[in-house]
Amino acid sequence: MTDELKAKFQALVEDAPEPTGLPSDAVFARIKTVRRRRTTGLVAGLATAAVATIALAAGNLTGIDSAPPVTETPNGPTPSAAAPTTTPTTTPKAPKPPIGGSVNTLSPEGGKTNESESSDTPPPEQPSSPKTEEPKAPPPVKVNLVLSNVTVNGLKASVQFRWTGSLLTPMKASEGTPIDAGSGLPENSFNFDYDYGDNHWNPDEGPTGKNGFGLTCDGANKRVSGSWSGRTQTHTYEKPGTYLFSYGITYCGPTGEIPIKKTIKITIKAPPPPTTP
């Protein structure tokens, strides 16, 4: 059947003329079939339009969590609500560490608690244990002797001397106790003497500190320190010449008697000849 014939037949069915005669049974059966098909197509079209309208309206509605609502399609499977998936546009970066300083936060009691100390704040000083200094050892028991400044006047001469250091006080041999002669070095020496070197000794010119008789250094433990200086008694030579002056000291030390001796030259010049008138 051509399209033109179909269109004429459809127009005839929609606006059929009044029958002038009694149609046959075949004509009535054909008319019923065409009407039934049109009615079914119209109903199906209306149902499809209604479902599309409802779906469009439901698509504009959102639930509490902004998820699309669940719709039911007649005579169709029950759709399941899919969870929305969101793709982050940027990757979150880890927070940068603080450059410096300290962060103060409030404690539950309302006060500030220091979470990180500044690098500029020095750590608290730990109490240091007291240092115990060992006592310094005393200097050794020793006497130093220096001779200087020889003075010559004609045949007469004298010498400058100086003692420095420390010694132990001698003990009395008969009593076993230290002597009580004073606090100076010469008074606590074992003995001392000097010689002008001309084999001429004058008792009036000798030293005054000879203490060696009746003394011992055994058991000596009393220490005396200091210095002493002076000049010897003036000595008169019998004739000009060069002489060796010597000064000797003996004192008590930890090991017993300790002698020392120093010398110096003395030159005596001949006097000038007398002038004649």
Side-chain angles (χ1 to χ4, degrees), residues 23-273:
S24 64
D25 294 336
V27 174
F28 281 109
R30 180 65 179 171
I31 292 173
K32 289 181 180 180
T33 300
V34 172
R35 286 183 177 179
R36 186 166 49 250
R37 287 179 180 179
R38 286 180 54 83
T39 303
T40 303
L42 180 60
V43 172
L46 293 175
T48 302
V51 171
T53 303
I54 295 173
L56 180 61
N60 294 330
L61 299 178
T62 57
I64 298 176
D65 298 330
S66 299
V70 179
T71 59
E72 294 183 359
T73 303
N75 299 326
T78 303
S80 59
T85 58
T86 58
T87 302
T89 58
T90 57
T91 304
K93 297 182 180 179
K96 295 183 179 180
I99 296 176
S102 60
V103 179
N104 293 328
T105 58
L106 292 177
S107 62
E109 291 78 13
K112 289 184 177 180
T113 59
N114 196 359
E115 291 183 356
S116 62
E117 295 295 333
S118 173
S119 59
D120 296 334
T121 303
E125 296 182 357
Q126 298 293 336
S128 58
S129 58
K131 296 182 179 179
T132 57
E133 296 182 358
E134 297 182 358
K136 295 181 179 180
V141 176
K142 183 179 180 180
V143 175
N144 298 311
L145 174 63
V146 177
L147 301 178
S148 63
N149 193 13
V150 177
T151 301
V152 177
N153 185 10
L155 296 176
K156 296 182 178 180
S158 66
V159 179
Q160 180 79 28
F161 62 86
R162 179 176 176 79
W163 298 24
T164 58
S166 61
L167 49 77
L168 299 179
T169 301
M171 304 290 288
K172 296 178 182 179
S174 59
E175 301 178 7
T177 57
I179 63 174
D180 187 10
S183 59
L185 290 179
E187 292 88 356
N188 288 276
S189 65
F190 193 79
N191 62 56
F192 64 95
D193 197 0
Y194 52 81
D195 184 2
Y196 276 96
D198 59 351
N199 295 322
H200 177 75
W201 180 75
N202 187 344
D204 296 336
E205 299 175 0
T208 60
K210 287 195 174 184
N211 299 323
F213 301 102
L215 302 180
T216 180
C217 290
D218 295 339
N221 55 16
K222 180 182 177 181
R223 182 168 180 155
V224 177
S225 302
S227 62
W228 180 50
S229 61
R231 296 193 70 86
T232 63
Q233 297 279 351
T234 301
H235 178 71
T236 302
Y237 288 95
E238 293 182 350
K239 59 181 180 178
T242 299
Y243 303 92
L244 186 63
F245 175 87
S246 62
Y247 195 115
I249 301 173
T250 301
Y251 63 95
C252 292
T255 59
E257 298 178 12
I258 301 176
I260 59 172
K261 188 176 184 179
K262 294 294 181 68
T263 60
I264 191 170
K265 289 182 179 181
I266 299 177
T267 301
I268 302 298
K269 296 180 180 181

